[in-house]
Amino acid sequence: MKFNEGMAAVEAILFACGEPIELEKFAAAAEIEKDTVEKIIDLLNQRYSEQQSALQIMRLGTGFQMMTRAEFAPKIKAALETRRNVPLSQAALEVLAVVAYNQPVTKSFVEQVRGVDSSGVVNSLVERNLLEEYGRLDLPGRPIAYKTTENFLRCFGLSGLESLPAIPDGSGQIDFDEYEEMTLSGE
């Protein structure tokens, strides 16, 4: 393996891990000797410093971890808080309601109820830890079923699914035909 390839492999492993990786495991994964891994890490840190990069590689015990420099912590915190505080869209609220009242459900069930493609919305709700995979249904194609999470309950102030408000039964509401008649007659 060429040195540049080894350097790229070390950087890729550090980036992908997101937590400390032990030197022995690191060397085995990169297929590089431990001494060479340490030299590559020193060179990467030197490059990051010269380029005034926000990244650095720290030795933590017997392992290494890629992380951002401390001076960028306030900006990172602000960015993460902004992302967390983004309100849910109407589509996301609709999907949550469909799942909460009918769980476990598949994406196709949600799409059937809503009448529009809901894949992206379901995926974003999984990323936000409001929905989670419940398993696969024993149907053709073995579709994934989804259910709400404990985080969903916490975010909406519910002690459990039994705390969800009851679905209106339709009493006291008019149907579309009655509405049309009222509109045409001027009521």
Side-chain angles (χ1 to χ4, degrees), residues 80-126:
L80 293 175
E81 285 177 0
T82 301
R83 184 171 175 244
R84 280 191 198 129
N85 292 330
V86 174
L88 293 172
S89 67
Q90 183 64 36
L93 291 171
E94 289 173 8
V95 169
L96 282 172
V98 170
V99 175
Y101 283 100
N102 300 287
Q103 60 189 309
V105 299
T106 62
K107 284 181 187 176
S108 62
F109 177 84
V110 173
E111 291 170 355
Q112 188 176 16
V113 171
R114 292 188 65 231
V116 295
D117 177 37
S118 301
S119 301
V121 178
V122 170
N123 292 339
S124 74
L125 291 170
V126 168

Side-chain angles (χ1 to χ4, degrees), residues 4-5 35 41 61 85 99 104 106 115 131-132 136 152 162 177 182 187:
N4 283 343
E5 290 173 358
D35 294 344
I41 288 172
N85 292 330
V99 175
T106 62
L131 294 181
E132 65 185 356
R136 293 192 174 268
F152 164 82
E162 63 281 350
D177 292 333
M182 289 173 50
E187 291 180 30

Side-chain angles (χ1 to χ4, degrees), residues 103 148-149 152-154 156-165:
Q103 60 189 309
T148 56
T149 63
F152 164 82
L153 297 173
R154 204 172 19 260
F156 288 91
L158 302 169
S159 58
L161 293 176
E162 63 281 350
S163 302
L164 284 169

Side-chain angles (χ1 to χ4, degrees), residues 24 26 38-39 65 67 85 90 109 122 125 137 141 153 157 177 184:
E24 295 213 8
F26 197 154
E38 290 182 301
K39 288 176 186 172
Q65 182 175 6
M67 57 184 64
N85 292 330
Q90 183 64 36
F109 177 84
V122 170
L125 291 170
L137 297 182
L153 297 173
D177 292 333
L184 292 175

